Amino acid sequence: MTRLAQTLGLTEFQTDIVTTVRRFVDKEIIPVAAEFERTDTYPQPIVDAMREMGLFGLMIPESYGGLGESLLTYALCVEELARGWMSISGVLNTHFIVAYMLRQHGTEAQKQRFLPRMATGETRGAFSMSEPELGSDVAAIRTHATRDPDGGYTIAGQKMWLTNGGSSTLVAVLVRSDEGADKPHRNLTAFLVEKPTGFGEVLPGLTIPGKIDKLGYKGIDTTEMIFDGYRAGDDDVLGAAPGRGFVQMMDGIEVGRVNVAARACGVAVRAFELAVRYAQQRQTFGKPIADHQAIAFQLAEMATKVEAAHLMMVNAARLKDSGERNDVAAGMAKYLASEYCSEVTQQSFRIHGGYGYSTEYEIERLMRDAPFLLIGEGTSEIQKQIISRRLLADYRI
């Protein structure tokens, strides 16, 4: 059992869920992650097991077939999954964001149409905001939905960095729509695109090219999404609310940042576990390297960073669950956890010495996975921008 990153005040049900996921990670993920990662193979057996455990419906209300659990419960499960292999938590992340957006902003018909199937994992979600030349400037989105005279929309453009692009069957995609708004963020609309799995032209006017090769985050498919005359109906607009896509997506990104913070905590915990074990096994000058002050102090620093990141992540999740605004808390948690994750992973790598550079040791994979968390759901610089704007508003003189 992980001794760091414990969470006080959990219900018995929450404790049981997190404990079950931790055991699943130890028995079913950690022993096979290296091979899936090495071959960049989609971990279908693990995904199937997560479906059976009900993890795809963790935050979906019971009335739609889910478990109706909190963001905190979900984040703690993600932390455990990322501790085993970060890509596994990525399978859930985009699905979770789309389900959350449907729960918060979808029409009742849309909820009835998608949420029961999402709760079982039969329908798998992905979401898309980024474009090839977009970066973090959402207002610069070029993919365009043109209103058709006979109703519905025709979409044309290119989206980028679509996690679960090939394996998903439902994509929430943010595009520009001319709804007459005079402000850039008010003429963006979120569409729900239902599609089959696979690559190539999966629907008329919709192409999912092959997987993008990546430094880390292997096993999970990351793709582009190309629209060329794709037709969408009025009932495919999230919440039947054209021009509200920016607000809807930002709400999803806010909980997504808690998710990324949780993933960073999980990777950092694993990096620490590997380091503290290796430091007690490896001997130099007649004693374990953990007995050398230089290494012992590094372990102390790593553990403190892990604990601090976990506490900030838990606070952000609980704040969102309470109904309070949590954009600053989520930004702080994502920023601190991802930066600390990178630092802890680097320290673990150094403690392993030359063996840390070998693909036979797990820390090598963590070294390639950790950088993704610095940029996913907004870079550290974007988080600092969000945090500073709110602070200056609250402390204005």
Side-chain angles (χ1 to χ4, degrees):
M1 178 178 291
T2 305
R3 293 172 176 80
L4 286 177
Q6 298 297 299
T7 310
L8 299 178
L10 298 180
T11 66
E12 184 177 349
F13 187 59
Q14 287 175 312
T15 301
D16 288 344
I17 291 176
V18 176
T19 300
T20 299
V21 173
R22 182 182 300 134
R23 289 172 180 164
F24 172 69
V25 166
D26 288 335
K27 292 178 63 177
E28 306 295 337
I29 296 181
I30 290 177
V32 300
E35 182 61 20
F36 278 115
E37 208 270 348
R38 184 186 67 80
T39 57
D40 197 9
T41 302
Y42 188 76
Q44 191 62 54
I46 297 174
V47 174
D48 291 341
M50 291 196 299
R51 285 186 61 179
E52 292 180 12
M53 293 169 68
L55 294 183
F56 283 95
L58 200 56
M59 276 189 69
I60 293 174
E62 292 181 74
S63 57
Y64 298 102
L67 295 178
E69 267 300 314
S70 64
L71 176 59
L72 175 61
T73 307
Y74 176 81
L76 294 177
C77 290
V78 165
E79 183 179 40
E80 294 296 339
L81 292 170
R83 174 180 156 266
W85 182 20
M86 192 185 75
S87 293
I88 295 299
S89 60
V91 172
L92 282 180
N93 181 38
T94 57
H95 176 88
F96 147 73
I97 291 176
V98 176
Y100 174 83
M101 290 168 59
L102 275 163
R103 191 187 81 182
Q104 296 298 108
H105 305 287
T107 64
E108 183 57 34
Q110 289 170 340
K111 293 176 186 179
Q112 293 287 351
R113 178 182 169 190
F114 294 117
L115 289 181
R117 286 184 290 142
M118 294 187 79
T120 64
E122 177 187 352
T123 292
R124 300 266 302 286
F127 84 107
S128 177
M129 289 184 5
S130 188
E131 296 184 0
E133 299 179 9
L134 178 62
S136 299
D137 185 9
V138 179
I141 281 177
R142 295 181 180 179
T143 301
H144 191 268
T146 303
R147 187 71 170 157
D148 296 329
D150 57 347
Y153 298 82
T154 298
I155 304 177
Q158 183 179 4
K159 308 300 286 186
M160 191 70 176
W161 304 119
L162 180 62
T163 302
N164 296 312
S167 55
S168 61
T169 55
L170 176 65
V171 183
V173 58
L174 188 64
V175 306
R176 182 166 304 285
S177 59
D178 297 325
E179 305 300 331
D182 57 352
K183 293 186 178 180
H185 292 95
R186 292 183 182 174
N187 59 1
L188 296 172
T189 297
F191 284 89
L192 300 170
V193 177
E194 196 168 13
K195 68 173 188 65
T197 60
F199 301 98
E201 188 173 10
V202 293
L203 288 173
L206 176 61
T207 299
I208 306 292
K211 295 193 299 183
I212 298 171
D213 290 330
K214 308 183 295 290
L215 170 70
Y217 204 25
K218 303 282 189 176
I220 190 170
D221 47 287
T222 304
T223 74
E224 300 171 72
M225 189 177 193
I226 300 172
F227 294 95
D228 185 12
Y230 173 79
R231 295 292 303 276
D234 290 329
D235 56 351
D236 294 326
V237 174
L238 179 61
R244 294 284 297 167
F246 178 77
V247 173
Q248 294 165 343
M249 281 280 184
M250 289 304 105
D251 191 21
I253 286 291
E254 200 169 278
V255 292
R257 284 175 179 149
V258 175
N259 175 289
V260 173
R263 284 201 264 178
C265 289
V267 173
V269 166
R270 186 59 181 166
F272 173 81
E273 289 175 346
L274 295 172
V276 76
R277 182 175 65 190
Y278 183 81
Q280 294 174 81
Q281 295 172 336
R282 174 80 164 112
Q283 294 202 0
T284 60
F285 305 104
K287 59 182 178 181
I289 62 173
D291 291 346
H292 295 289
Q293 190 178 74
I295 302 299
F297 279 15
Q298 283 195 65
L299 294 172
E301 291 173 7
M302 294 163 69
T304 302
K305 290 173 181 176
V306 167
E307 195 69 15
H310 175 81
L311 290 170
M312 288 201 74
M313 180 272 291
V314 168
N315 176 67
R318 281 182 162 149
L319 197 62
K320 187 71 173 178
D321 285 332
S322 73
E324 297 292 326
R325 181 174 177 175
N326 89 323
D327 54 338
V328 171
M332 286 181 170
K334 192 275 173 185
Y335 164 57
L336 188 84
S338 62
E339 292 287 348
Y340 275 180
C341 173
S342 179
E343 293 172 14
V344 168
T345 305
Q346 284 270 359
Q347 287 178 290
S348 180
F349 171 75
R350 292 182 177 190
I351 287 172
H352 280 80
Y355 288 107
Y357 209 64
S358 168
T359 58
E360 295 182 13
Y361 281 71
E362 195 176 335
I363 187 61
E364 181 268 345
R365 166 164 55 85
L366 271 57
M367 280 290 293
R368 289 183 287 104
D369 282 346
F372 169 79
L373 299 166
L374 295 170
I375 56 176
E377 314 294 35
T379 63
S380 292
E381 289 70 29
I382 288 294
Q383 308 311 318
K384 286 187 275 190
Q385 186 178 53
I386 293 168
I387 295 164
S388 61
R389 283 177 176 174
R390 179 73 184 277
L391 290 174
L392 288 170
D394 288 346
Y395 286 86
R396 191 166 303 282
I397 58 174

